[in-house]
Structures are given as structure tokens and as C-alpha cells.
């Protein structure tokens, strides 16, 4: 179910939640996206910024009340906050609903139960009440490992790390599960794209063994294409963070699909590999699309949003897309992105 444009402005809560997004000392770790970047003003917050702030406040409250909220359903495989399609007309009146959509927290549970949708409990954040909705099912990853030719690549990357232990220089970004079964330094065969015939192979240079679904395939410098431009990755502490309701484009193997961000999970300000940061979108691809770029395009500028992973059940018999958050990839691997 795709998110209607008119729903976004109707459901984003007014104002901003209480408290700071980060403790003040954390801002030094997140410089602005541009030289004139400033922390958004609380007096005139944009829809995008309000959506992000409320989603983060809801996530913080849900995580702090995990045991009381979930009861016996403790097998969380994904949690996110933002827009949720509920669809029924008997939705509790204390939650705001518009055309079947609401704004709150959504949790994916691995448990097998009768039915695939359950609203359980609610949370109060800064004087407002939000639903906590549980869905049941598994993440369906869209690759056919271990052959990376059955997956996709998101973009070109350069090693930006000053540490000498990272010896690779130029590479391609994909999902870790696309190269599942391939060891570091092993050769990876690459399928030519519609634009680039080279490189035709590379070696697996880096991947996260824990929660970040991303991997780097290295190739020789002379295969780096001319004319690439560096892609911006929106700063979570900047003026234009990745937020529920933001339009996105997914560059799948068989064409581009346009949609919107439904929900986010960014465990600010920690971007290490012990907690997976994810972006949930209202479009999804097919097997072989894992590793595709998901971006926000506006005013001739491309912002990297995530790396497409696969799909999750939407709780109403359909599906939603799930992505690896791009900012976490950038911070963990210390790389720059190019298109």
C-alpha cells in the first residue's frame, strides 16, 4: 500500500517532542551537511523535520518500555516508527487516523500466531498518544546467494578511512547477504549493468559480520569510471534528515520504482554494528534486487537513503520494502558514495 501524499501532512504531529534529539555534546560528532548547515529551528520546523523528530521520540519511548509493551511477544526482528497502514474503520479514537493510515510504532515479530496484525498497548510521548502495532512474519531477502550476479549494486564507493588496516581503495556497494558464502579476498564475478560493462569481477574487501547488511567489492583503480559525482548522505543531526513521508526512488534491475519512506529505525547517536538501522518503504522489488540504491531526489540533488534488502509483511496481506540505512553504512565503513 503506497502512502498517499495528502496523508503525510495530516498525520505528522504538530510541534516538536520535548527534549533534544541528542545530548548537546553529541552535536560535535555530526557536522552539518553543508558549510552553512545549522540545527533546525524549533520555531519553524519543516514537515520532514517534525516527522523525523516524532519518529525518533516514539522509538526512544518504545525501546524504554520494551517488556511492558510487548508482553509475551519478545522475538522482535524489526522495529520502526512513522506511517502505518491499519485500514479498518474501528480504529481506537484516541489515535489519529487518515484514510486508513496512522502515525506510531510498528514491530515485526517472528512468532507464529493466528492472524498477522495486532494493536497492543499504546505509548504517550510529550502529551500525545500513539499506537504500537505488531505484525507477524519474516524478512524476505531479495537475492539468491552466494552468486552476487543474482543481486544488485547500489553505487560506487571510495575508501575514506585514514587507517592503514583498510587497504582497499575503490569498490562497489551491495548487501552482505548478496555475497553470503564468499570469504574476504575471494573473487566475486560481476554482471555488467545497462550503463557500465566494467569491472567484470572484483574481490570481497569488507563486510560487517553482525547487523549491517552491506558489503564492499573491490576492483582495480583503472576500472573506476570517469565523471562520477559524490552522493550526499543526509545528516541525522542536520536540517534534512531521512524521515517518514519523504519521497524515494528505488533503482531495481528492471526499472525505477517511486514511493515514500514509511518508517525509520535509527538508534541515535550510535551507528556501530550491534544494532541494525533500517528504513521501511512503501515499494518493494523482486529476487535479485537486493543491493539496489534507494535515494531521495530533489532539485537535481541525489541523497542516499538506503540499500534495498527485501520485503516484510505489511500485516494486511501485502508487503513493504526494507532497506539498510545508508548513514550507518557510511559511518561504519568510513566510505564515500559516488554515482
Amino acid at each position: 500500500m503506497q502512502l498517499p501524499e495528502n496523508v503525510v501532512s495530516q498525520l505528522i504531529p504538530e510541534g516538536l517532542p520535548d527534549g533534544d534529539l541528542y545530548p548537546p555534546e553529541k552535536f560535535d560528532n555530526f557536522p552539518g551537511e553543508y558549510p552553512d548547515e545549522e540545527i533546525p529551528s524549533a520555531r519553524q520546523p519543516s514537515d520532514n523535520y517534525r516527522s523525523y523528530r516524532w519518529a525518533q521520540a516514539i522509538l526512544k519511548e518504545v525501546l524504554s518500555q520494551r517488556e511492558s509493551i510487548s508482553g509475551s511477544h519478545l522475538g522482535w526482528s524489526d522495529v520502526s516508527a512513522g506511517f502505518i497502514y491499519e485500514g479498518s474503520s474501528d480504529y481506537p479514537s484516541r489515535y489519529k487516523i487518515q484514510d486508513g493510515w496512522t502515525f506510531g510504532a510498528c514491530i515485526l515479530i517472528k512468532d507464529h500466531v493466528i492472524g498477522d496484525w495486532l494493536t497492543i498497548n499504546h505509548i504517550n510521548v510529550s502529551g500525545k498518544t500513539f499506537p504500537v502495532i505488531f505484525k507477524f512474519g519474516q524478512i524476505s531477502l531479495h537475492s539468491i546467494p552466494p552468486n552476487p550476479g543474482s543481486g544488485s549494486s547500489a553505487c560506487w564507493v571510495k575508501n575514506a578511512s585514514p587507517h592503514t588496516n583498510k587497504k582497499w581503495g575503490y569498490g562497489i556497494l551491495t548487501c552482505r547477504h548478496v555475497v553470503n558464502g564468499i570469504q574476504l579476498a575471494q573473487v566475486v564475478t560481476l554482471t555488467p549493468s545497462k550503463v557500465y560493462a566494467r569491472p567484470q569481477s572484483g574481490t570481497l574487501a569488507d563486510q560487517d559480520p553482525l547487523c549491517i547488511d552491506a558489503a564492499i567489492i573491490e576492483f582495480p583503480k583503472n576500472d573506476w569510471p570517469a565523471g562520477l559525482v559524490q552522493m550526499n548522505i543526509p545528516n541525522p543531526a542536520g536540517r534534512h534528515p531521512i524521515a517518514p513521508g519523504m519521497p524515494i526512488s528505488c533503482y531495481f534491475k528492471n526499472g525505477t520504482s517511486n514511493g515514500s519512506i514509511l518508517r525509520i529505525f535509527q538508534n541515535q547517536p550510535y551507528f556501530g554494528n550491534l544494532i541494525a538501522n533500517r528504513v521501511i518503504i512503501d515499494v518493494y522489488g523482486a529476487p535479485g534486487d537486493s543491493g539496489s540504491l534507494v535515494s531521495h531526489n530533489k532539485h537535481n540533488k541525489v541523497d542516499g537513503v538506503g540499500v534495498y534488502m527485501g520485503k516484510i509483511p505489511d500485516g494486511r496481506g501485502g508487503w513493504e520494502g526494507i532497506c539498510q540505512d545508508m548513514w550507518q553504512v557510511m559511518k561504519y565503513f568510513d566510505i564515500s558514495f559516488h554515482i
Side-chain angles (χ1 to χ4, degrees):
M1 176 68 69
Q2 288 202 282
L3 179 67
E5 188 174 343
N6 66 297
V7 165
V8 175
S9 59
Q10 293 291 324
L11 287 181
I12 298 173
E14 293 297 326
L16 293 175
D18 299 334
D20 293 326
L21 184 58
Y22 308 103
E25 66 272 12
K26 294 296 183 182
F27 281 116
D28 291 339
N29 295 327
F30 299 103
E33 299 167 41
Y34 309 105
D36 62 345
E37 191 74 30
E38 297 176 356
I39 302 304
S41 169
R43 292 188 294 274
Q44 294 180 327
S46 65
D47 283 356
N48 177 73
Y49 186 66
R50 284 191 295 118
S51 176
Y52 180 79
R53 285 291 304 274
W54 280 106
Q56 287 294 345
I58 290 170
L59 285 171
K60 181 178 179 181
E61 192 66 23
V62 167
L63 293 175
S64 70
Q65 299 184 36
R66 175 169 179 167
E67 291 187 5
S68 61
I69 287 175
S70 57
S72 61
H73 301 297
L74 296 178
W76 295 18
S77 62
D78 178 73
V79 57
S80 55
F83 297 98
I84 311 163
Y85 184 71
E86 198 280 337
S88 70
S89 59
D90 57 349
Y91 205 68
S93 59
R94 63 176 175 267
Y95 309 137
K96 189 173 182 180
I97 188 167
Q98 177 74 32
D99 297 336
W101 292 85
T102 188
F103 196 94
C106 187
I107 299 169
L108 183 66
I109 298 292
K110 295 179 181 179
D111 299 347
H112 177 72
V113 298
I114 298 174
D116 59 358
W117 189 275
L118 176 65
T119 301
I120 129 184
N121 215 325
H122 63 276
I123 55 170
N124 295 307
V125 179
S126 298
K128 302 181 188 296
T129 303
F130 299 94
V132 177
I133 294 177
F134 280 43
K135 299 184 296 186
F136 301 92
Q138 301 283 341
I139 298 175
S140 176
L141 299 174
H142 273 169
S143 75
I144 312 173
N147 181 6
S150 296
S152 297
S153 59
C155 59
W156 310 87
V157 293
K158 283 184 180 180
N159 187 353
S161 174
H163 303 298
T164 56
N165 61 329
K166 287 194 172 183
K167 298 184 182 300
W168 68 272
Y170 299 84
I172 290 172
L173 176 66
T174 188
C175 281
R176 180 191 61 216
H177 72 263
V178 168
V179 292
N180 184 37
I182 298 177
Q183 303 299 313
L184 289 176
Q186 282 190 341
V187 174
V188 180
T189 302
L190 299 172
T191 303
S193 71
K194 296 177 181 178
V195 181
Y196 298 103
R198 299 180 62 86
Q200 297 179 352
S201 66
T203 57
L204 184 59
D206 203 356
Q207 63 180 343
D208 173 48
L210 298 178
C211 295
I212 301 174
D213 196 352
I216 310 295
I217 300 171
E218 181 187 17
F219 58 84
K221 182 179 180 179
N222 58 8
D223 280 337
W224 183 264
L228 297 179
V229 296
Q230 186 167 340
M231 181 168 57
N232 179 62
I233 308 300
N235 190 327
R239 236 180 297 175
H240 311 288
I242 296 301
M246 178 180 285
I248 50 93
S249 296
C250 304
Y251 297 93
F252 296 138
K253 277 190 171 180
N254 291 326
T256 303
S257 294
N258 297 315
S260 301
I261 295 174
L262 291 177
R263 300 180 302 278
I264 59 171
F265 178 78
Q266 288 183 324
N267 191 58
Q268 313 292 12
Y270 175 77
F271 291 99
N273 64 347
L274 296 179
I275 300 175
N277 289 359
R278 304 291 193 234
V279 180
I280 310 301
I281 58 178
D282 63 0
V283 292
Y284 59 93
D289 285 328
S290 284
S292 298
L293 175 66
V294 179
S295 69
H296 169 65
N297 308 330
K298 187 176 183 180
H299 303 314
N300 297 318
K301 183 168 73 73
V302 178
D303 288 343
V305 171
V307 185
Y308 178 79
M309 295 169 52
K311 64 183 182 180
I312 58 175
D314 69 357
R316 289 291 184 234
W319 300 93
E320 298 167 345
I322 184 169
C323 312
Q324 166 62 52
D325 175 70
M326 194 72 94
W327 179 271
Q328 185 180 34
V329 173
M330 182 183 72
K331 299 298 287 186
Y332 180 77
F333 288 98
D334 202 357
I335 55 179
S336 61
F337 305 85
H338 303 262
I339 53 175

